[in-house]
Amino acid sequence: MDLTDFGAGAQYIAGRLTGGTGTEPFQVVNPATGKTVQAVTLASTEDVDTAVAAAKAALPEWSAATPGARSEALLKLAAVLAEHADDFARVETAQTGKPIKLSTEFDVPGTVDNTSFFAGAARNLEGKAAGEYSGDHTSYVRREAIGVVGSISPWNYPLQMAAWKVLPAIAAGNTIVLKPAELTPLTSLMFARACTEAGIPDGVVNVVTGAGRGAGEHLVSHPDVAMVSFTGSTPVGKRVAELAVAGVKRTHLELGGKAPFVVFDDADLDAAVHGAVAASLINSGQDCTAATRAYVQRPLYDAFVAGVAELYGQVRIGDPLNPATDLGPLVSYAHRDRVAGFVERARSYATVVTGGPARVLGHDGTDLSVGAYYLPTLITGAAQSSEVVQGEIFGPVLVVLPFDSDEEGLRLANDTPYGLAASAWTTNVHRSLRATREIKAGCVWVNDHIPIISEMPHGGYKSSGYGKDMSQYSLDEYTQVKHVMFDTTAVARKDWHRTVFGDR
């Protein structure tokens, strides 16, 4: 099967690629060139209804399959994904603009690994041991599928986020309707087609490509959708929660981030500088865990700023299909302008040390003015309360602020509404333990920033949402817990009955 042959189809429903029945065509654009990658017709609410119906119809058979059978299907899916790895990487780069080396070495292999992990997790349903906890009954716990899951994934990691939504849901026996961001739907469609090639039954995995206010809200509100999972901005996440709670649906929200990067005065400066550059520029900074606020203890502050500025100047910006390119464009011209707005407003109250709009040739001669490029940008002198410190910029922008005492550094790290990820840089074990204990975030790295692994959970505190992606914790969230209790006495008249009627 050629997974890249989309035709005019932007919907994948009941094992078939179809066109949407919406009234307006939509262009998936390569942000490096401005050229159309794929013209699609977006989904209407009727398409969402059709997809949910397909998922509902597939649920009885799939939820009744043994954990071993679901595991086997996911192992086959991992093999199919690996077989088509080059196609996935190429399409991911075309629709997002991310460097091909990131797609090839991070997005695709990470997705294959996630798939292999959930193939194993499907056979590991955890719960309390069966036992006679009351003395007169045997109790045990069942984990059962919730039902049809409605998921909405973002545009920054289209393939990986599709996998993070689909894999735990179907490993647990649910069926799913996924709505990817309309800017970047192509690898989500490829992923669904790969599921069919792997033998996963029709209707278990469905994809509808539509706008958030139409298809997305209809999916979240659909009466046959039992659980909603959303990854995206905090404001939109609040809207998703409002719609879901009206239907008393289980919700999983992975929302915005503003990750602090705390450098103590005993840190390895060279490691911290290199770590900050990599962590702030991954995926052009379009990563909810990217380092965005560096707090550096005053003795290292000047050297840290100088080191990051120097390395920013060495980053190779150009054609994302060039294997030597480090930094590609932002996902769209509109998003580039949004990032630029943050930086331009900051010039009135802070110092832009380096960076800004890209108006020169790239390292390989690419005309950067054609694409949605933005240079690595370093800002100092901003107040803690300022927009660039508190707001989610979601671009290649790092703000650096000094601190004096450890208490101040940790307090500043926690001083935003977000709590998705953070890092602490120190060679002192006591400092690192304190930082990991006191920083309010779902993930705290020590002397590194960004790596994720399938076996460990990803999710936030505070306005960064709730619920976990990846790991056994994620699988558990896609199950219903049922307590089953058997009488062991065979006694008709139970002693506890007297609390309701009669005497002993």
Side-chain angles (χ1 to χ4, degrees):
M1 180 188 295
D2 181 3
L3 300 183
T4 66
D5 182 10
F6 302 103
Q11 323 302 324
Y12 196 75
I13 301 173
R16 293 181 295 280
L17 191 66
T18 65
T21 60
T23 58
E24 295 184 6
F26 187 84
Q27 309 293 321
V28 178
V29 173
N30 184 333
T33 63
K35 296 180 179 178
T36 297
V37 178
Q38 185 75 30
V40 301
T41 302
L42 296 182
S44 65
T45 56
E46 288 77 13
D47 294 319
V48 174
D49 290 339
T50 302
V52 172
K56 184 178 180 180
L59 181 63
E61 176 186 355
W62 184 248
S63 63
T66 65
R70 293 197 293 267
S71 174
E72 183 178 356
L74 289 172
L75 285 173
K76 290 179 180 177
L77 175 60
V80 172
L81 295 173
E83 179 185 350
H84 294 280
D86 290 344
D87 288 337
F88 275 105
R90 177 174 51 81
V91 175
E92 191 78 331
T93 287
Q95 67 177 353
T96 64
K98 66 179 62 187
I100 190 67
K101 66 178 180 179
L102 183 65
S103 297
T104 301
E105 299 178 28
F106 183 73
D107 296 61
V108 175
T111 301
V112 174
D113 185 71
N114 284 173
T115 308
S116 297
F117 171 81
F118 280 107
R123 305 182 78 146
N124 184 35
L125 300 178
E126 293 189 343
K128 197 174 185 71
E132 289 68 51
Y133 296 97
S134 77
D136 293 334
H137 306 81
T138 296
S139 290
Y140 65 87
V141 168
R142 290 179 57 87
R143 283 193 178 272
E144 299 178 349
I146 296 172
V148 176
V149 178
S151 291
I152 300 175
S153 57
W155 48 256
N156 56 334
Y157 290 100
L159 175 61
Q160 281 199 320
M161 296 298 101
W164 286 14
K165 301 299 184 193
V166 171
L167 294 171
I170 67 173
N174 304 285
T175 56
I176 189 168
V177 177
L178 173 73
K179 192 202 85 64
E182 61 268 31
L183 290 175
T184 56
L186 302 181
T187 48
S188 298
L189 291 165
M190 292 171 64
F191 186 87
R193 298 180 76 189
C195 289
T196 298
E197 187 171 326
I200 294 173
D202 293 350
V204 172
V205 178
N206 308 274
V207 176
V208 290
T209 302
R213 289 194 177 275
E217 293 200 356
H218 190 64
L219 176 62
V220 171
S221 304
H222 200 288
D224 289 333
V225 168
M227 176 178 174
V228 172
S229 177
F230 170 80
T231 296
S233 71
T234 296
V236 178
K238 291 179 179 179
R239 174 61 176 163
V240 169
E242 290 173 357
L243 294 171
V245 75
V248 199
K249 304 175 191 294
R250 184 178 297 192
T251 55
H252 170 284
L253 303 175
E254 198 264 270
L255 307 178
K258 191 69 177 175
F261 186 101
V262 184
V263 182
F264 294 97
D265 58 13
D266 65 337
D268 181 327
L269 178 63
D270 190 49
V273 167
H274 281 79
V277 171
S280 62
L281 299 184
I282 185 170
N283 202 32
S284 299
Q286 299 167 126
D287 186 309
C288 49
T289 64
T292 60
R293 301 177 288 140
Y295 296 101
V296 184
Q297 208 151 24
R298 208 169 292 275
L300 297 185
Y301 177 80
D302 290 338
F304 180 88
V305 170
V308 171
E310 180 182 358
L311 285 186
Y312 269 7
Q314 298 174 21
V315 171
R316 295 166 298 188
I317 307 170
D319 180 1
L321 286 174
N322 186 330
T325 293
D326 299 320
L327 192 74
L330 298 179
V331 73
S332 69
Y333 299 106
H335 186 60
R336 177 201 60 191
D337 294 344
R338 179 184 176 276
V339 170
F342 275 94
V343 176
E344 293 310 305
R345 290 189 296 273
R347 293 183 188 276
S348 66
Y349 58 79
T351 300
V352 178
V353 177
T354 185
R359 305 185 187 282
V360 294
L361 295 179
H363 75 98
D364 51 3
T366 299
D367 182 358
L368 302 183
S369 66
V370 173
Y373 290 90
Y374 201 80
L375 299 178
T377 301
L378 182 64
I379 297 175
T380 61
Q384 175 68 14
S385 61
S386 64
E387 181 187 44
V388 289
V389 175
Q390 295 293 323
E392 189 176 26
I393 301 173
F394 224 59
V397 180
L398 178 65
V399 185
V400 187
L401 299 90
F403 70 92
D404 292 305
S405 67
D406 290 15
E407 290 75 13
E408 181 189 17
L410 296 174
R411 176 179 60 79
L412 293 172
N414 285 328
D415 185 27
T416 71
Y418 301 104
L420 186 58
S423 63
W425 297 75
T426 177
T427 55
N428 184 302
V429 65
H430 301 293
R431 267 179 162 167
S432 65
L433 288 171
R434 180 182 181 184
T436 57
R437 182 175 65 250
E438 295 187 11
I439 292 175
K440 304 305 180 186
C443 175
V444 181
W445 293 281
V446 176
N447 296 328
D448 208 344
H449 192 119
I450 286 297
I452 54 175
I453 50 176
S454 297
E455 292 82 359
M456 287 293 162
H458 173 84
Y461 284 25
K462 304 189 292 185
S463 291
S464 291
Y466 48 82
K468 300 299 179 183
D469 289 312
M470 301 192 295
S471 80
Q472 185 71 36
Y473 295 97
S474 178
L475 181 73
D476 292 348
E477 290 186 6
Y478 284 87
T479 62
Q480 296 271 29
V481 175
K482 177 186 288 184
H483 171 213
V484 178
M485 197 174 200
F486 285 86
D487 169 64
T488 60
T489 67
V491 174
R493 182 83 184 270
K494 306 291 195 294
D495 185 57
W496 72 266
H497 291 178
R498 68 184 176 83
T499 64
V500 182
F501 72 99
D503 302 314
R504 275 186 178 166

